[in-house]
Amino acid sequence: MQLLRIKDTIRFMAARKVSMAFSALLILASVFSLAYKGMNMGLDFTGGTAVEVGFSQPADLPKVRSTLAENGFPDASVTLFGSSQDVLVRLAPRDDVKAEILGNQLVDALKQVDSNVEMRRIEFVGPSVGEDLKEQGGLAMLTALLCILIYVAFRFEWRFAVGAVAALFHDVILTMGLFSLLGLEFDLTILAAILAVIGYSLNDTIVVSDRIRENFRKVRIDDTLEIIDISLTQTLNRTLVTSITTILVLVALFVWGGQTIHGFATALLFGVFIGTYSSVYVASSVAVAMGVSKEDLIPVEVEKEGADLDAMP
C-alpha cells in the first residue's frame, strides 16, 4: 500500500481537543436555547388550522396581520406560500369552532384587504394527533440512532460505534438548536430533514471508519493519531466533492424552492456543514478518547490444527 508522504498528511487530530471543546460549547448553547426558548412547533405537532388563500395582487403581509388581529385572529401566523399572491395562514386550535367555519371567517376578514381573495385549501390537525406525531417522531430518531450504534459496533468496533452515534447526536442537537435560536417553525418536514442529515452524516462516518480500519491493518505505523490523520486525508477529496455537490442542490432549493420547503432546505444545508465537520472531528476524536488502537482492529490469527506438527522436522 502506498503511504502518503508525511508532509502531505493533514494533522486533523492535532486540533481534536480544540474541536471537541468547540463542539461542547455549541451543544451547551443548543441545549440552553432548547430549554429556555423551546421549539416553535408547527401545526403538525401542536394541532390547529392551516388556510391557504390567494390574493388578486401581491399581498401586503403587515396589513394582512393587522387586519386579522382586528377581526379576532391575533395569534395568526402569516407567511407567503410560493408566490407574492399566495399566503398561508396558520391558526392555533380552537375547540369551539369547526375548521370550515374558521376558514370562512378568516376569508371574510381578509376581504377587507382584497375583495377578490379566495380560499385555496384548508387543513386541520387535532391536538391529540399532534402529540402522537411528536412522540412518534422522537421515537423514530432514537430508533435510528440505536440501530446505527448496533450496526457500526458489529461492522467495525464498539469504540467507532460510540463515536458515530456521538457525531449523529451532535448533528441532531445542533440542528434543533439552530431552529430554536432562530425561532424557525419545526414540523414533520424538518423532522424528515433531520433524519436525512443522520443518514448523510453516517455515510461520511462509515467511509472514514472503513478507511481507518483498512489503514490500521495495512500501514506499518504504531501511532494511532497518525494513522487516523492519514485516513482522513485520503478521504478528504471524496468528502469535499460529496458535500459541495449536495450543497449546490440545497442552495437551489433554498433560493428557488419556495416557502413550502424553505425550512427543509435550511435544515439540510446546516446539517451537511455540521455533518461533514462531525464525521472528521467528532467521530474520530471520540474513538481516540476511548482508547481505540491498532490492536483492536487487527484480526486475531487462528492457529490451524496440526500446525505444530507440520513445523516439526
Side-chain angles (χ1 to χ4, degrees):
M1 177 178 179
Q2 186 178 3
L3 181 64
L4 290 174
R5 296 192 304 273
I6 297 298
K7 66 178 182 179
D8 293 332
T9 303
I10 302 174
R11 303 299 182 185
F12 289 101
M13 291 295 98
R16 70 185 186 280
K17 293 182 180 179
V18 175
S19 65
M20 292 298 286
F22 177 67
S23 294
L25 182 63
L26 291 179
I27 289 175
L28 287 175
S30 298
V31 171
F32 180 84
S33 180
L34 289 169
Y36 287 92
K37 190 175 180 180
M39 299 290 292
N40 179 20
M41 293 293 185
L43 294 183
D44 293 333
F45 298 118
T46 62
T49 305
V51 183
E52 182 186 349
V53 295
F55 288 82
S56 60
Q57 55 188 358
D60 184 350
L61 294 188
K63 188 175 181 180
V64 170
R65 294 189 183 99
S66 61
T67 302
L68 290 177
E70 293 171 359
N71 287 270
F73 300 101
D75 58 341
S77 172
V78 182
T79 57
L80 291 177
F81 191 79
S83 71
S84 60
Q85 295 176 255
D86 296 321
V87 174
L88 181 66
V89 181
R90 297 177 180 268
L91 304 172
R94 299 191 179 189
D95 298 331
D96 56 337
V97 184
K98 293 183 178 180
E100 294 79 5
I101 297 176
L102 194 63
N104 292 330
Q105 292 176 351
L106 187 140
V107 171
D108 291 339
L110 291 178
K111 286 183 178 180
Q112 301 177 22
V113 180
D114 185 346
S115 59
N116 296 319
V117 67
E118 59 179 7
M119 183 168 60
R120 302 282 175 80
R121 66 180 175 91
I122 182 169
E123 295 179 355
F124 174 76
V125 178
S128 59
V129 176
E131 286 297 323
D132 289 341
L133 291 174
K134 187 188 301 184
E135 180 180 349
Q136 292 171 7
L139 288 175
M141 283 196 292
L142 291 176
T143 303
L145 293 176
L146 179 61
C147 291
I148 289 166
L149 177 66
I150 296 173
Y151 167 75
V152 180
F154 278 100
R155 183 70 173 80
F156 297 101
E157 209 269 342
W158 69 269
R159 294 175 181 85
F160 281 106
V162 174
V165 172
L168 299 179
F169 179 79
H170 167 275
D171 300 342
V172 170
I173 290 296
L174 293 191
T175 304
M176 294 180 66
L178 175 71
F179 273 74
S180 173
L181 184 64
L182 299 181
L184 301 176
E185 187 176 279
F186 190 90
D187 54 19
L188 282 177
T189 305
I190 309 305
L191 178 60
I194 290 180
L195 292 174
V197 168
I198 290 176
Y200 180 90
S201 179
L202 177 65
N203 181 53
D204 265 355
T205 303
I206 292 296
V207 170
V208 171
S209 298
D210 188 60
R211 184 57 61 90
I212 292 173
R213 180 182 62 174
E214 180 182 352
N215 285 337
F216 268 148
R217 295 176 176 179
K218 294 184 178 180
V219 178
R220 295 184 177 180
I221 299 176
D222 292 330
D223 189 344
T224 299
L225 296 181
E226 186 171 355
I227 293 178
I228 292 178
D229 284 335
I230 291 171
S231 304
L232 291 172
T233 303
Q234 289 174 340
T235 58
L236 183 61
N237 286 339
R238 179 259 177 206
T239 300
L240 290 179
V241 169
T242 304
S243 299
I244 291 173
T245 52
T246 305
I247 287 170
L248 290 176
V249 175
L250 293 175
V251 167
L253 288 175
F254 182 85
V255 176
W256 294 292
Q259 185 67 29
T260 310
I261 59 174
H262 187 269
F264 180 82
T266 301
L268 280 179
L269 266 174
F270 181 77
V272 168
F273 277 112
I274 208 68
T276 302
Y277 163 81
S278 68
S279 64
V280 173
Y281 279 108
V282 178
S284 301
S285 298
V286 169
V288 169
M290 298 189 70
V292 69
S293 63
K294 192 170 185 176
E295 290 74 17
D296 297 323
L297 293 173
I298 295 179
V300 178
E301 294 186 2
V302 179
E303 186 176 348
K304 295 182 179 179
E305 186 177 353
D308 293 338
L309 296 175
D310 294 339
M312 295 178 61

